[in-house]
Amino acid sequence: MSFVERIRNNLEGMLRIEDGNCGTTHKVLREISRLGGKAIAWERPDGVYSVILDDKGKVVGEGEGITWPPAILFAMVEGGFFPEEIESQLIKSLQCIIDMEKVAEIYGYGRVVTPVASAYNEVWKNGGRVAIRRNSWGVEVVFIDKNDKEMAVGPISYCPTCGTAATIPRAPALAAKIKDELKDKKNTGKDKYERGMENHFFFKNDRVCCEIIEKGQMLGRALRCCIAYAGVAAEVHAGIAGPKWGALFKEYCRICPTKLCRKGKNTGEEANNLLVSLEKRDMKTDVRMDTYITAMVKKDGMPVGEGIGTVCAFSSLMYAAAKCIQLRSEIEVERV
């Protein structure tokens, strides 16, 4: 039995649409890591290229995406890690790959947090809001103006941050403004591309580990609750990330109320299930940028919970569910 067949066999019956693209990617990466494999990703001008390596270091899947996690999921899909019926659904849920080049025109090199933060600020500053909602295995992001009219609807994407990045080009005036605003900003992805750095992702001690490698030497390493957060934290450890994000993320881990890392759980899986639960109860989620990415849950238009997060609104949702008494009383996340 091949490495891919072993993974597919071990995960039979364990993959659920409720876990979404993000939760599913982490579930498969955990199994890949358990059997001795890993994922490697490289920043490129138009996004990120990724491969899956088996236990012998052989490439068994290749993919690309807006940033690391969707590129890794696409490599898993291309490598045949999923049953045919799930594979076809995941492909439909990775529509954001169609927008890769348009997203890269705004900032590029797999960087999404900076342009996404700018988009949140611009939409809210003009009296609008940004909503996230589940669609198939993925997430859909909507920019809504001050008159409660949809300005732009993004493609089905990996997560709220990727979804927001893919929505920006669908609002041309906003895209042009953000592109101009960021044209002289430092781009860590570009620096890594020019230096030929690699991002190695695998599970270790129930957490996602990212190692940043340059010419065979490890520059930075971090273990966190998801691929994206581990990647950014590893950049901070390597001394190649901006000081602003580094300070914020170090502080966030200290104040995080969920401590998913300690429980062997990943943010994507837990938050996707939470989002499903919220939508079943007709609760809506808006996202904005304060100091941290912030998610606000509303019922009948009134706020019932708010939380802060790191690189994605999923961590913000988990924070809200953990800290807000009213929200906790409204929901009960049922797990199979």
Side-chain angles (χ1 to χ4, degrees):
M1 189 180 290
S2 72
F3 181 83
V4 174
E5 289 171 335
R6 286 160 62 200
I7 300 291
R8 202 165 54 226
N9 185 63
N10 290 353
L11 291 174
E12 185 176 357
M14 296 176 63
L15 303 178
R16 310 165 60 248
I17 190 171
E18 291 84 0
D19 297 338
N21 286 334
C22 188
T24 300
T25 301
H26 285 82
K27 190 174 285 187
V28 177
L29 182 61
R30 186 190 296 270
E31 190 64 18
I32 287 171
S33 304
R34 193 178 72 82
L35 297 187
K38 66 168 65 171
I40 303 180
W42 295 263
E43 282 83 0
R44 291 186 170 179
D46 61 350
V48 168
Y49 168 69
S50 177
V51 300
I52 307 296
L53 301 184
D54 66 11
D55 52 339
K56 296 180 176 60
K58 177 185 174 184
V59 175
V60 289
E62 300 178 69
E64 57 184 1
I66 288 174
T67 188
W68 310 309
I72 290 171
L73 177 56
F74 194 65
M76 291 172 176
V77 171
E78 290 295 292
F81 284 87
F82 301 98
E84 190 174 323
E85 65 276 10
I86 292 180
E87 179 182 293
S88 62
Q89 293 176 51
L90 289 174
I91 290 172
K92 292 177 183 177
S93 293
L94 282 170
Q95 291 180 7
C96 55
I97 195 171
I98 300 170
D99 297 76
M100 268 183 63
E101 292 184 4
K102 292 178 181 178
V103 172
E105 286 175 8
I106 296 169
Y107 201 46
Y109 297 94
R111 299 288 107 170
V112 291
V113 176
T114 299
V116 162
S118 294
Y120 290 156
N121 285 333
E122 282 297 321
V123 173
W124 280 89
K125 185 172 72 178
N126 290 299
R129 58 192 175 88
V130 180
I132 60 170
R133 57 197 185 203
R134 282 293 303 266
N135 191 329
S136 184
W137 286 66
V139 170
E140 194 173 66
V141 173
V142 188
F143 294 166
I144 300 168
D145 68 16
K146 62 182 179 181
N147 298 315
D148 213 32
K149 180 181 178 182
E150 293 185 354
M151 298 162 44
V153 181
I156 306 175
S157 302
Y158 181 92
C159 71
T161 299
C162 299
T164 303
T167 307
I168 295 172
R170 301 188 178 201
L174 176 64
K177 186 178 175 90
I178 293 174
K179 181 179 179 179
D180 184 64
E181 177 187 315
L182 300 180
K183 64 182 179 183
D184 297 320
K185 285 276 184 83
K186 169 184 166 66
N187 189 315
T188 304
K190 184 176 185 223
D191 295 344
K192 290 168 72 180
Y193 168 73
E194 291 173 346
R195 292 171 62 175
M197 293 182 181
E198 300 178 343
N199 308 281
H200 292 225
F201 295 99
F202 52 93
F203 268 82
K204 184 177 178 64
N205 298 330
D206 277 331
R207 293 184 287 173
V208 178
C209 179
C210 176
E211 295 178 345
I212 296 178
I213 311 293
E214 181 180 25
K215 297 176 182 176
Q217 180 182 358
M218 185 173 70
L219 301 185
R221 186 173 192 260
L223 287 88
R224 294 292 189 272
C225 57
C226 78
I227 292 169
Y229 191 17
V232 176
E235 290 177 349
V236 173
H237 185 232
I240 57 176
K244 171 191 170 185
W245 294 118
L248 283 175
F249 293 155
K250 285 179 182 177
E251 175 66 10
Y252 184 84
C253 264
R254 186 185 69 78
I255 64 173
C256 173
T258 62
K259 300 294 188 287
L260 291 177
C261 283
R262 299 179 189 175
K263 302 171 185 175
K265 299 178 179 180
N266 75 73
T267 302
E269 181 177 340
E270 298 298 315
N272 266 297
N273 278 272
L274 175 57
L275 192 54
V276 169
S277 181
L278 293 174
E279 292 186 350
K280 282 181 179 178
R281 290 157 176 77
D282 293 323
M283 287 188 265
K284 303 184 185 303
T285 305
D286 292 343
V287 190
R288 66 174 186 270
M289 187 72 196
D290 289 330
T291 303
Y292 291 98
I293 288 178
T294 303
M296 182 164 56
V297 181
K298 297 178 181 178
K299 181 178 181 181
D300 299 325
M302 299 299 295
V304 293
E306 183 174 301
I308 61 173
T310 55
V311 294
C312 184
F314 280 159
S315 54
S316 309
L317 269 176
M318 294 305 298
Y319 192 105
K323 296 288 284 186
C324 302
I325 295 173
Q326 186 179 357
L327 179 57
R328 289 208 310 272
S329 69
E330 290 277 0
I331 61 172
E332 180 181 351
V333 180
E334 297 178 2
R335 304 303 306 274
V336 176

